[in-house]
Amino acid sequence: MSDIIVSPSILSADFANLERDIKKVENAGADWLHIDVMDGHFVPNITIGVPVTASIKKIARVPLDVHLMIENPERYIEPFANAGADILTFHYEAVDENKIQQVIKQIKSFGVKAGLSIKPKTSPEKIIKFLPYLDLVLVMTVEPGFGGQAFMEDCAEKLPVIRANAPESLILQVDGGINDKTGRVCTERGANSLVAGNYIYKSPDIKLAVTSLRCA
Ligand code: DX5
Ligand code: ZN
């Protein structure tokens, strides 16, 4: 048994057939479902919000890994926790430095796992002091906003820095342009959770795609 957590991004699913496409990845062995929440401000795209997340919760068998690409994430922690998020990841760049600790605490107060994400231009040193309080760190390997972009290899160099300074239990996740090859680049550097949208959903064999990431 590998300990890589595979989290398919439903951003690449057909939203008119969301339940069908969720079952496809669950049946292929997905560990989590990655839900990309975008507000049109923090990133230039708008995607899924609280009501859709609550509907997904009713039909999902696996934990909901919610990636908040929004400004003022603290306003939306409670609604997403109530909607059934199991992991809530917010962006370092979206919150004042001195409020990050508070947001982590807020997430945990709902019994939800707390994640912090950094964009490609943010250095890993910025978040080292928060590592003891976090369940997950998400290192973006593309500029957040859209699926289907090319993996930025430089970003993977942040992974060993974070791994070396983190408690053993920290889940280190990557997101953006992940496939079996780029996934391997990341797991070799300490990642143990892979998010993938296009690689999984555009594959002719979804089960094979999920398995190839688990073995990456
Ligand atoms: C991008 C999102 C990703 C996206 C990944 O901002 O955070 O989760 O869906 O898509 P792929 O794997 O296609 O790059
Ligand atoms: Zn994401």
Side-chain angles (χ1 to χ4, degrees):
M1 273 290 284
S2 129
D3 46 12
I4 300 209
I5 299 164
V6 179
S7 191
S9 168
I10 58 163
L11 191 58
S12 300
D14 174 2
F15 283 0
N17 290 288
L18 198 47
E19 180 169 10
R20 180 200 70 189
D21 280 6
I22 285 172
K23 292 301 144 191
K24 269 190 197 169
V25 293
E26 284 184 341
N27 293 336
D31 299 292
W32 293 349
L33 284 177
H34 185 82
I35 301 179
D36 286 305
V37 177
M38 305 188 191
D39 65 353
H41 293 280
F42 183 72
V43 288
N45 196 5
I46 301 178
T47 55
I48 292 170
V50 172
V52 176
T53 304
S55 295
I56 292 172
K57 187 67 180 180
K58 290 191 199 140
I59 57 118
R61 289 198 303 260
V62 298
L64 303 188
D65 167 27
V66 177
H67 178 192
L68 298 176
M69 285 162 277
I70 60 175
E71 285 176 3
N72 306 118
E74 68 284 355
R75 289 191 200 158
Y76 301 93
I77 303 302
E78 184 166 7
F80 275 104
N82 290 338
D86 296 278
I87 301 106
L88 271 171
T89 299
F90 66 102
H91 268 267
Y92 169 82
E93 302 84 0
V95 178
D96 278 353
E97 264 276 333
N98 58 359
K99 298 221 174 95
I100 288 189
Q101 196 78 265
Q102 231 169 289
V103 181
I104 296 171
K105 224 171 136 191
Q106 198 192 348
I107 296 174
K108 289 186 161 179
S109 75
F110 293 100
V112 173
K113 283 191 165 65
L116 185 63
S117 182
I118 51 172
K119 298 207 285 183
K121 291 192 187 85
T122 304
S123 84
E125 283 78 15
K126 300 256 189 213
I127 62 163
I128 283 174
K129 61 172 177 280
F130 304 113
L131 296 179
Y133 311 100
L134 289 164
D135 298 297
L136 180 148
V137 166
L138 167 53
V139 172
M140 288 306 296
T141 44
V142 297
E143 279 299 336
F146 299 92
Q149 303 180 74
F151 177 73
M152 297 165 75
E153 187 132 10
D154 285 6
C155 295
E157 300 310 330
K158 298 176 188 179
L159 297 167
V161 179
I162 293 168
R163 190 47 93 199
N165 288 283
E168 216 182 312
S169 61
L170 184 89
I171 299 166
L172 188 48
Q173 186 177 61
V174 286
D175 180 10
I178 298 298
N179 56 38
D180 53 343
K181 291 176 190 70
T182 58
R184 168 66 65 91
V185 169
C186 296
T187 56
E188 280 175 352
R189 286 163 179 73
N192 65 339
S193 176
L194 303 176
V195 175
N198 271 29
Y199 176 64
I200 292 176
Y201 275 107
K202 305 281 183 251
S203 163
D205 187 337
I206 288 190
K207 194 164 191 162
L208 192 66
V210 170
T211 309
S212 71
L213 291 176
R214 194 179 301 295
C215 301

